[in-house]
Amino acid sequence: QVQLVESGGGLVQAGDSLTLSCAPSGRAWGSVAMGWFRQAPGKEREFVAAMSWRPVREYYADSMMGRSTISRDNAKNTVFLQMNSLKPEDTAVYYCATHLNGIYYQPSSYDYWGQGTQVTVSS
């Protein structure tokens, strides 16, 4: 079983940038793709971005296109989500997850999930 640990969340102002990190605890990635999702209070979990590394491809939600970058540092065994020009509507708990199979933007395509990190954007 893979345990994922997210970090980097916090309270920022609208227009600021934030970089989230996700790493598996105690082992290397057991998947060739992973994704970021977010969930705001009272809303369903929604896709933010995903990355595969065999082949290397990136996928973004329309709401984050042009404002976010997903990347991977092999040496640190960590995946990052850089978010720019943050808006109050980006406020949510952000989760990383390992992709199992299926469509990248569907939560059901992922098997292991982290505990989440809170991102709050004030106006």
Side-chain angles (χ1 to χ4, degrees), residues 4-8 19-25 27-29 34 36 51 53 70-81 96:
L4 303 178
V5 180
E6 302 103 333
S7 61
T19 299
L20 307 181
S21 303
C22 175
S25 176
R27 55 169 288 179
W29 291 101
M34 62 83 59
W36 286 95
M51 181 178 189
W53 35 88
I70 188 171
S71 62
R72 182 188 183 205
D73 186 325
N74 293 335
K76 296 181 179 179
N77 201 30
T78 301
V79 175
F80 301 96
L81 178 68
C96 66

Side-chain angles (χ1 to χ4, degrees), residues 83-98:
M83 300 184 291
N84 304 313
S85 302
L86 285 163
K87 307 173 182 179
E89 51 264 43
D90 294 320
T91 296
V93 177
Y94 284 70
Y95 300 89
C96 66
T98 54

